[in-house]
Amino acid sequence: MSQTPAPLSSWARNVSPSPTLAVDAKAKALQAAGEDVCGFAAGEPDFDTPEHIKEACIAALKAGKTKYAPTPGIEPLRTAIAERYLADYGHKVVAGQVVVSPGGKFSCYLGVLATCSPGDEVIVPAPFWVSYPEMVKLAGAVPKLVLADDRTGFKLTPAQLEAAITPRTRLLILNSPSNPTGAVYTRAELAALVAVAVKHNLYILSDEMYEHLVYDGAKPTCVATLSPEAEARTLIVAGFSKTYAMTGWRIGTLVAPAPIAKAVSELQSQMSSNVTTFAQYGALAALKEKEKTAAALKTMLVAFDRRRKFLHAGLSRIPGISCLLAEGAFYLFPNISSFGLKDVDFCARLLDEQKVAAVPGSAFGAEGYLRLSYATSDEIIAKGVERLTRFCATLRK
Ligand SMILES: *Cc1c(COP(=O)(O)O)cnc(C)c1O
């Protein structure tokens, strides 16, 4: 007699698949079917990894760097990461505070696991990066979403934070520059939020993945440098994916006070072990061959900045759309609420009728917006804006 298999676990049943990857997959499927799609859904640079980084990885592979390595990363890479925090922010860090993980996404998850027990509450400002609430749930903790919309530049205020804290709150997640909005908090704005977190003895997970992708003279802030109290409770997540066009390499970094870093490393030792050994040598070259890396980053930044202004100018000419000129990452987050259509329906029809792929704001916890990635060519941006203009005109009739 055949038996129906038992249901899958609550973890498996309750996790939501990534909506950004879903839109991207649908756009790619249309493209594969021969449709001329303008894709604004991608969450990665459209550049290739710089050559010297690839070469260093290939050399390491040929030199037999093919065995297990220490869980928190090869020693020279951990040291180079510690050194770059000193150089970039004057933040004194030793190698023992650094954990290299398979992607910044996993660094975030380990950070949540290291600080939160089941039932603890985690404050997640919305619009949020899609993985935060899911990874909080996968730790048995409870995400508390707090909406910061375009009226405050998509930035959480200290009063909002204060109001969301309960005796169960354990962790605050910050992400500046932000995915999905591109917003960059000033140092003073972050200091005000951190003061509230310190007062309530919260941990802070500061996702600084886009720290180097800033424009108009905006400066990234390393949250751990705000005060000794901030340093003692902050887990900084960053990585190589966005800055060096290395998304497929899967290399993220976490820097925290030594006891926290040790706990993160111990969790990782049972969940994944080290990042691919020879890949770490590529990352090492990114940090060591500074001039070549800086030149590659500069090329990306110039292109991103040009496209950012170009896309923003195009959006600003469309009646009914309002859009802040964000200072970081490679996203704009226009407000489309004036059309009186749910953002999910707006995006579905936009893809269907005009072959333009965008992710609805509700995927990031903010109904009434679109996330448009400008990590794409100038031609696609020009054509996409033209189609979006046409689409919006039909909605206003
Ligand atoms: C891309 C991204 C990450 C994770 O990057 P990895 O590819 O896992 O290194 C983390 N946080 C934000 C906000 C991101 O956009």
Side-chain angles (χ1 to χ4, degrees):
M1 240 178 60
S2 75
Q3 212 181 8
T4 333
L8 291 173
S9 72
S10 58
W11 306 121
R13 281 180 284 128
N14 293 341
V15 75
S16 315
S18 166
T20 50
L21 295 180
V23 174
D24 208 35
K26 188 164 175 212
K28 285 189 176 127
L30 278 173
Q31 225 150 15
E35 296 280 4
D36 172 27
V37 176
C38 294
F40 291 93
E44 61 184 341
D46 56 328
F47 294 88
D48 195 5
T49 303
E51 215 52 42
H52 65 288
I53 300 175
K54 291 195 212 171
E55 290 300 338
C57 173
I58 293 165
L61 184 55
K62 288 196 167 151
K65 304 293 187 191
T66 57
K67 300 287 196 272
Y68 288 132
T71 293
I74 57 170
E75 202 284 324
L77 180 58
R78 293 172 86 198
T79 300
I81 291 165
E83 286 169 358
R84 82 101 176 154
Y85 273 97
L86 186 64
D88 287 351
Y89 300 106
H91 184 33
K92 288 204 190 77
V93 174
V94 296
Q97 292 176 257
V98 178
V99 182
V100 182
S101 298
K105 185 176 279 187
F106 198 56
S107 304
C108 290
Y109 182 47
L110 292 173
V112 172
L113 280 180
T115 53
C116 296
S117 300
D120 284 348
E121 293 174 2
V122 178
I123 295 181
V124 181
F128 48 72
W129 183 48
V130 293
S131 294
Y132 300 139
E134 298 306 315
M135 55 181 60
V136 167
K137 288 193 262 168
L138 286 171
V142 183
K144 290 285 163 185
L145 311 178
V146 186
L147 180 64
D149 62 21
D150 51 3
R151 290 170 301 177
T152 57
F154 303 113
K155 296 174 187 179
L156 187 70
T157 65
Q160 282 182 301
L161 173 58
E162 186 78 57
I165 293 172
T166 77
R168 308 258 13 199
T169 310
R170 186 37 82 92
L171 175 68
L172 165 66
I173 297 184
L174 293 173
N175 173 218
S176 172
S178 156
N179 175 6
T181 67
V184 184
Y185 285 75
T186 65
R187 193 171 173 85
E189 286 164 345
L190 286 168
L193 291 173
V194 162
V196 177
V198 168
K199 183 173 132 202
H200 292 275
N201 200 21
L202 309 185
Y203 282 110
I204 301 166
L205 184 93
S206 180
D207 181 344
E208 300 171 9
M209 190 56 68
Y210 293 91
E211 62 190 314
H212 294 113
L213 304 184
V214 286
Y215 321 97
D216 292 341
K219 291 238 178 324
T221 301
C222 175
V223 165
T225 64
L226 286 168
S227 67
E229 295 79 15
E231 183 178 358
R233 65 189 61 249
T234 299
L235 295 76
I236 314 164
V237 170
F240 294 81
S241 293
K242 308 292 161 59
T243 306
Y244 307 118
M246 292 172 68
T247 45
W249 289 62
R250 312 311 305 134
I251 312 179
T253 67
L254 184 145
V255 171
I260 302 176
K262 181 163 173 279
V264 167
S265 175
E266 281 167 3
L267 286 164
Q268 177 163 307
S269 76
Q270 297 296 12
M271 298 179 75
S272 69
S273 301
N274 62 279
V275 170
T276 307
T277 306
F278 45 86
Q280 294 189 54
Y281 286 88
L284 180 61
L287 296 179
K288 285 291 186 189
E289 296 180 41
K290 291 195 177 69
E291 276 168 33
K292 285 184 191 162
T293 302
L297 177 56
K298 176 90 198 201
T299 304
M300 281 209 300
L301 278 172
V302 167
F304 285 152
D305 190 26
R306 185 186 64 240
R307 298 162 178 179
R308 178 182 71 106
K309 291 179 181 143
F310 185 43
L311 177 59
H312 182 265
L315 293 172
S316 300
R317 283 193 294 269
I318 302 177
I321 287 188
S322 69
C323 184
L324 299 175
L325 180 57
E327 295 174 311
F330 39 68
Y331 309 103
L332 291 179
F333 206 67
N335 185 326
I336 49 117
S337 60
S338 79
F339 295 101
L341 207 59
K342 285 231 172 299
D343 58 16
V344 171
D345 299 328
F346 188 102
C347 287
R349 283 183 55 186
L350 182 61
L351 185 56
D352 198 44
E353 296 171 21
Q354 294 291 341
K355 306 293 178 281
V356 172
V359 189
S362 51
F364 312 94
E367 165 67 45
Y369 299 87
L370 305 179
R371 188 192 74 173
L372 301 176
S373 161
Y374 50 84
T376 185
S377 69
D378 299 66
E379 298 100 79
I380 299 266
I381 293 173
K383 196 160 33 157
V385 166
E386 209 175 287
R387 293 179 183 187
L388 182 60
T389 306
R390 228 178 293 145
F391 178 70
C392 291
T394 65
L395 294 181
R396 289 167 63 84
K397 280 211 184 99

